[in-house]
Amino acid sequence: MRTKTETRRQAILQAATEVFQQSGFERSSMSDICERVGYSKPTLYSYFPSKEELFFAVMFEATEIEFQTIFETLDTGMDDITKSLENFGVGLLTLLYSPQVQAVRRLVSSEAGRSDLGKKCFELGPARSEAAITAFIQAAMDQGQLRKANPRVAGLHLKGLLEAEWIEGFIFQTLQELPKKELLLTVKRAVAVFMAAYGKD
């Protein structure tokens, strides 16, 4: 039964992915997804209570492996912490500003006050990111790679610096996807400022 349930869930996610890609979130409906996958509405709603939650699940499934890979780059064992932070920054911005994740972030912003989608996304995205970055920075401070400070605040500063050059374009929807060359330069500038503030003298 468990295998059958997971198989059905994956079939729904695949159908939803195809529908969202073809029609976009606003123009897609749960009826469209039912028709594509061949299941009834009660079956679909038993897995995903709303279109918003189904959309989030599609995006989460698509980005989770990349999310885990990015945070594996936070390696305090590296001799060059600047390089470790740059690797992390490139991965993080590539993920956050991919068209798929931008779509999720905008959806969350518009739906957060009307449902618990915002809370779910925060717990699975920013809250996990914050915990991982805080732990990394605390370890780097303990090892003498960074000066002693509040590791959570330092992590928030790092993320803020990484997004500083792009966040307004995202908010006002003038940004589609980061050019790779500009992304690399952005990360180098952000990490340089972070190290000026938190690097060892």
Side-chain angles (χ1 to χ4, degrees), residues 36-198:
R36 178 68 60 93
V37 74
Y39 296 157
S40 65
K41 277 192 176 181
T43 296
L44 183 59
Y45 280 105
S46 71
Y47 285 87
F48 301 100
S50 67
K51 184 175 74 167
E52 289 78 9
E53 290 198 26
L54 177 51
F55 183 78
F56 171 73
V58 166
M59 295 299 101
F60 180 76
E61 292 267 335
T63 59
E64 177 62 9
I65 293 175
E66 190 170 358
F67 180 93
Q68 294 293 342
T69 301
I70 289 167
F71 283 91
E72 287 173 3
T73 66
L74 289 173
D75 180 11
T76 54
M78 290 183 66
D79 293 334
D80 187 351
I81 191 170
T82 297
K83 185 63 176 176
S84 179
L85 290 172
E86 287 177 351
N87 290 342
F88 166 72
V90 169
L92 182 67
L93 290 187
T94 299
L95 177 65
L96 290 181
Y97 289 92
S98 66
Q100 296 92 337
V101 176
Q102 284 194 64
V104 171
R105 294 172 80 185
R106 290 189 178 114
L107 172 63
V108 171
S109 296
S110 64
E111 294 293 328
R114 297 195 292 270
S115 70
D116 62 352
L117 184 63
K119 181 180 178 182
K120 289 182 178 180
C121 288
F122 177 78
E123 290 173 347
L124 290 172
R128 292 166 67 204
S129 299
E130 182 181 310
I133 296 170
T134 298
F136 169 79
I137 290 178
Q138 180 66 72
M141 290 176 178
D142 291 343
Q143 295 175 18
Q145 295 177 302
L146 297 173
R147 71 172 179 82
K148 294 289 185 181
N150 184 315
R152 176 179 175 273
V153 172
L156 293 173
H157 287 168
L158 174 61
K159 186 172 182 293
L161 287 166
L162 288 168
E163 289 203 75
E165 297 182 35
W166 306 104
I167 190 66
E168 289 192 352
F170 163 73
I171 291 172
F172 293 102
Q173 300 190 34
T174 61
L175 178 68
Q176 297 302 315
E177 194 168 4
L178 300 191
K180 187 172 182 179
K181 183 177 179 180
E182 289 301 314
L183 184 152
L184 294 172
L185 293 173
T186 294
V187 169
K188 285 185 176 295
R189 288 191 289 265
V191 172
V193 174
F194 179 82
M195 290 304 295
Y198 290 100

